[in-house]
Each structure stands twice: as structure tokens, then as C-alpha cells.
Amino acid sequence: MAADAQASKRTGNMSCRELYREEFNTFRPTIKVIDCTIRDGGLMNKWQFSDELVRDLYKANIAAGVDYMEIGYFTSESYFKRGDVGSWRFCADEDLRRIMGKNESNLKISAMCDIGRIDDHDIPQKSDSLIDLIRVACYDYQIDEAIRLANLCVDRGYEVSVNLMAVAKSSLETIDACLDKIGETCRCHYFYIADSFGSVYGEQVRLLAKRYIRKLGPKSGVKYPKIIGYHGHNNQQLGFANSVEGIIEGLEFVDGSVLGMGRGSGNTCLEQILCFLHNPKYDPRPIFEVIEKHFIALRKTTEWGVSIPYLIQGARNEHPKDAMAWEAEGKSLDCLGFYDKFMASSEPEKEVEAGGDPDDVGAGAARGPRVPNHCCELYRKEFFTYRPEIRVIDTTVRYGGFRENWKFSDDFIKGIYKYCIDAGIDYMEVGYLTGAAAARDACITPEFFGPWRFCKDADLRRVFGENKTALKLAAMCDVGFLAPEELPEKASSLLHLIRVAGCCHQAEAIAQLVDAASAKGFEVGVVIHDISIERMESIESCLARLAASKANIVTIDDTRGALYNEQVELLTKLFVERLPGKTVGFSGANNLQMSFANSVVAVVEGANLLDGSVMGLGRGCGGCPMENLMCFLKNPKFKLRPVLVALQEHVQPLHIADPTYFGLGPTGCPSLPFLVAGTRNDDTADSVAWCNAGMKNEGAKFLDFVRSKSRQFPTPKARLFDEENKRVANKHVV
């Protein structure tokens, strides 16, 4: 890959004594947030929002400190009929004034123009319009017309952006040609990286951000420098993670939408961005309120959000038309049907072009199977090859058991077991080993807990027989819940791997249990809990002790779902360096919807064991979805379809029967209590209790509750990241 690829890889800062760099606790006042809910979300309901919803969202954006509200498309009325689409396909002045009067606020109003759908004479002078910013969307082959239209809008007094769509389908040469033209001939103010298909990973965002800033930024030397922004889609649950990566690399504009509402799987969630940014002018609470008032109900009648069809098309860098058409037919829960129709056959079919009408979910949708998708050179060869030593452990039963005290039926366990075998999974973690004394002291009794909290041999053999398969069975034991003498002998057990879980300060106790399990013949792993709240000194001391133990595997566990890509990169490099000869693993909670993104980073940096569960089933917001891992990992032994069988037949029905079973929100993004907990790096006990009480959609009240507690134990507010690099403590306040 070009030099940019190597430049895009950050060097781990081993001299940094704490996990979060100071930049995670300061803010750049130049960063701006655009809410594109009505514009992008309108693609899913033909912009037929009620005036009350639009007006309430407008007021919420003002109260939340959002900088721009993209209220729809700027379109000539000759291209659509008002009876077929709502007002926000046109953004006529009378419609704008009906909602916001004269807009006597600091919130700026934006609208988007599609090439070929706005006539020059329909663009008024800025002095005659409530619109402040016009964004021109184009594919690379439309760049010349986009420049012409952008310059026209500049001449008429608007702030103007050009958004280069489907960038992951363009070659670096083509991207450079577009950037060169924009820099020398376009007088627009902003230029956007648009991940239209939700197909890029953090590494590609960093590469593109550096490239765009170098060629177009304020120090680029071009005739017309730009401010660079990022617009992400959430097909692979990477929208927020990629937005954070772009911000860290210097991008100044970032898009989001309420509950991620947007085309297909949607965009980066606006509420996630507002929780992440430290600028005190941003407050997520007004957005939480409008979610509760309007968007929870809207999601029941309008389909958008995370789903398997969108995941597959994002992983393959394809336009989501097929997925949109599939879901428009009411088949959103039939992921197997989608896979079998578009993926299972080997009969070749021509690729669909990168472009196309984003409003049309039927015309042009491909029928039949796909040929392998060849992504552009934006992706390093490592994204198309595999390390055969990478292994995967399924935690659906062990981690998912937190929701119902491990009271799964035998049929459920057998279904997960069968999928693991068929999918090529290396380990199935079937539950916990719990000692008799500890169980008695903690009231962990069979009366209240299912068999997988104990993993007794009789239960194992009842379900798995002699397990004469390549799949290895695993169990976890927490330090303090199992004495070394209570460990079974490997020769008489169906278990192959025992993972000992504990925190850094328990390193000595962990090591003693590890060595005892090894002496009894087991492969042994360590899972280091709550690593996001540890000081680097404590982490390094723990690693030194574990390096001398007989552990085969040491896993970084983001128990609180509070790590970002950068911290995972730093930790993985540190673990690989300090644990020679041992396998480094990664396990992440999904409170910030970072678990898959963080798993990708861990793999790229050398981790060789990944935790995953079907649909991310686990405590709270769960962990990394196994289906995402199977789409990403290129080893041909891993198969996606068996995961989808387990999802559709066993795990999905749990969610349908009881929506509180998962900590996810209605669109597959984190529910608001877990988002708050992850952002604050808090234990999830309060979030779990809140959601178990049936209040997982009541984010504003939960935020009030957390803030009330914080007043008793205050932490410092973030302050301006100034030229002298003055910093504050690493506690994020929401």
C-alpha cells in the first residue's frame, strides 16, 4: 500500500503512563456537529415526518448545542410529487418558516442537493432563504458537476460543502484527482468523507483523514483550502468508532442522526457523538428526550437500524439496495433467507455499480448470488488475507447467561453447540465453574441459577455427550469463586480450556489458580476484567506476574465497554510485548457500540483470540456480535451461515419475546443507560437495574439519576485543549 497506509498506523505511546491520552479529556472548540436525522432518515419514510416531530427536534438541537440541522433535501419540485414524498424532500421556504419561524437561534440550517435534482433557478439568494449550509452530494464521476453547483451556491451567499460519496469504492488515484480538482477550482468551504456503504474500518478513516487534510487542509497550500468532515453509516456497527477516529485525526465536522436514523442501517448516532465530545456546550439530554417522545414510537412503523442484510452488504462494500428492498418486504428478521438468496450460490453475477438512486429501494436491486467483492486499494492486503493462528471463542451461553441466571434450555445449548461446530468456531464457553463454598456464601444455588453457572460434568455430558468434535469446550472461573483444589482433572472432564477472570490487583491469586489448572492438564487462559479503570502501572505489574505463570492465553477484557480504538491498540501492543510466547486475546462489551471496531484493532495489532456471541448476547449491551466477526475474518474455515441459523432459531426469539433481554436500543444501537455508563467508564450495575425495571428507553431520567449521583462525588469538567496543552483528569463527564 502507499506510504499513507503506513503513516496511518499510529505508534503506541508506551511512555504514556495512563490508558487514555489527555486528548480524550479536552476539546477542540472548532469541532462542529451536524444532525442529519430528517434528511438521511427521510430516505426511510419518504420524508413524511409530522410537523410536531420536526419542530421538537429543531428545539432539541438548539438545547443540545448542535451546530447544524440538516432538515432535508434542496430539490426542484419538478422531480417529485408532494403527494408521494413529504415536505423535507424540497425544503421550500414556507415549510421551513412553518417549523422555525425566522430561526432566531444559533442553530444553522442545512439542506443537501443531489446532482441532477436541483435546477439552478430554484436556488435562491441566501438573503432570501433560511438555509445556511448547502451540501452537494456526488460520486467521484460527478465531481465536475458538483464543483459547478457548489461554486454557484457560494456565489449566492451560502456556506457550501461537497460530500464525496461511496469513497470506499474509489481508487486512491481517483480520490486524489477529486481532491486536486476541489482544491484548485472549488470555492466551497467544507469537503466530506462519506462512508456511504458503511464498509470502512478505523484504519481507512485515519488514512483518508490524513490524506484529505494534507491535500485540502488549511496548511495544504492549495488555492481553496477546506475544512474536512465525516459522514458514517452503521452497516457494520462502525459508525461511531469511525467518527471518533476521524475526530482524533483532525476532522472538524461530524454527522449524526437521532437513534442513527438514516438510509438502511442508519448513521452514527447523534446521541453517541454528543456523549463523546467534551465541549460543555453539548448536552445529550435534550436528544434523549426527543428520542423518548418521538423516535421510539417512530421505529415501530419505520424500519431502520442494525440488521444482518445491512451487515453483509457493508462487509462486502456494496450498495445496500438489496437489503433495503428485502426489509421493505417485511423480511428484516429472515436473515437466512437473505443470505441464501444473495450469498449461498456460486453462480456468478455482475457487480452492481457504486452509484445509483439512494431513494429507490427496488429498481436496480440485484437478484441472485454475488461474485466475490474486490474492494479498492484503500484496504491493505491484510484485510483480504488471514492469520491461521487467529481463534474465536463463542461466549453466547457464558456471557448471555447473565440475563436469566444461566437458565437456558438444553435445546438452546445444543443449538449453540451445533452452530459452533458448523461455523468452525474454536471454543465454546459453556458457563462458569463455581466452587461449593463460594456458591453457598454468595447464594448461588441451583434453586435460582441454571446448570451453566456450575458446569458440572453430568450436565456437560447430558448435552454434549463425549464431544467427539474439533470444537473445544471452555468454562470461566472468577477469582474467589473457585478454590484450586475444586478444579476437576482434565482427564475426567469434557472441558478443554479454563479461563480465570480477575482484576489487575488480583494477579497473584489469578496466577495461582492458573498454575493449578495447568497442573491438572487444562489449557488455561486469563481474562483481565475492568481494564479501562486501571492505571498503567497496575496493568504492567499484572502482566509481569502473568508472564511468569503457565497461562496460555491472556485476554484484554473491556468489561465496561469504555475503550476506544486507540486504547485497544495501546493495550494490545503492550500485551504482545510483555507476554512473549502467550496468545493475546480481546473481549469487549458493546456499551459504546465499539466492541467490533475494537476487536478489529486488536486483530490488526496482533491479538489471536477473539470473544464473540450470537447477536452480541451478554450482560447489559452484550459483547461483540459473532456474525460481525464471521463477516470480517477471512479464514475459510469460519462460516457465517451457521451463525445465522443460531441467531434466527435460538437467540432472536429471546429478543422478540422480551425486548428487555438485550441492553440494545430499538435500532440495534446501545440503549441510552448503557451508552451513558460506557461513556463515563462506569460499572453497569445501575444501567442493568434500570433496564431490568423496564426503563431502558428512558435515557433522560437515567442521565438525571447519574448526574445527581455525580454531584455527590464530582469529577472535573473538561476544559479547552489550548496551545499550552493544559490537561485535566481522565474521567469523562456526561
Side-chain angles (χ1 to χ4, degrees), residues 656-669:
I656 295 172
D658 180 7
T660 66
Y661 206 94
F662 288 74
L664 300 175
T667 64
C669 296

Side-chain angles (χ1 to χ4, degrees), residues 449-604:
F449 290 82
W452 310 108
R453 191 61 179 84
F454 309 96
C455 291
K456 294 181 179 179
D457 192 64
D459 294 312
L460 294 172
R461 294 185 186 278
R462 186 186 73 251
V463 174
F464 306 114
E466 295 300 318
N467 183 34
K468 295 180 179 179
T469 72
L471 176 67
K472 297 176 180 179
L473 301 182
M476 181 175 284
C477 58
D478 287 323
V479 168
F481 278 79
L482 188 75
E485 60 271 16
E486 293 179 295
L487 285 163
E489 294 287 343
K490 172 66 182 71
S492 61
S493 175
L494 284 182
L495 297 174
H496 181 92
L497 169 68
I498 291 179
R499 297 206 292 178
V500 181
C503 299
C504 286
H505 70 274
Q506 299 171 310
E508 184 59 37
I510 292 172
Q512 290 177 10
L513 199 51
V514 163
D515 292 347
S518 177
K520 294 197 174 188
F522 291 99
E523 183 180 6
V524 188
V526 173
V527 177
I528 302 179
H529 283 329
D530 278 330
I531 200 163
S532 61
I533 62 171
E534 298 284 0
R535 298 181 68 86
M536 292 301 291
E537 180 181 4
S538 178
I539 294 172
E540 292 171 348
S541 175
C542 178
L543 294 181
R545 180 63 184 91
L546 295 179
S549 77
K550 295 182 179 180
N552 307 101
I553 304 163
V554 181
T555 293
I556 303 161
D557 183 21
D558 180 20
T559 317
R560 298 178 177 221
L563 298 179
Y564 301 93
N565 286 178
E566 182 172 305
Q567 288 76 49
V568 173
E569 179 178 330
L570 185 153
L571 285 169
T572 306
K573 288 179 176 178
L574 179 65
F575 275 52
V576 170
E577 174 191 314
R578 302 297 173 87
L579 299 170
K582 300 186 188 298
T583 295
V584 173
F586 180 77
S587 174
N590 210 26
N591 297 353
L592 293 177
Q593 205 170 42
M594 292 289 304
S595 62
F596 175 57
N598 286 341
S599 297
V600 170
V601 171
V603 165
V604 170

Side-chain angles (χ1 to χ4, degrees), residues 259 290-301 304 666 697:
L259 280 183
V290 83
I291 287 172
E292 295 168 37
K293 183 175 181 180
H294 292 290
F295 286 86
I296 299 298
L298 180 62
R299 179 59 178 78
K300 295 177 180 178
T301 59
W304 83 89
N697 293 324

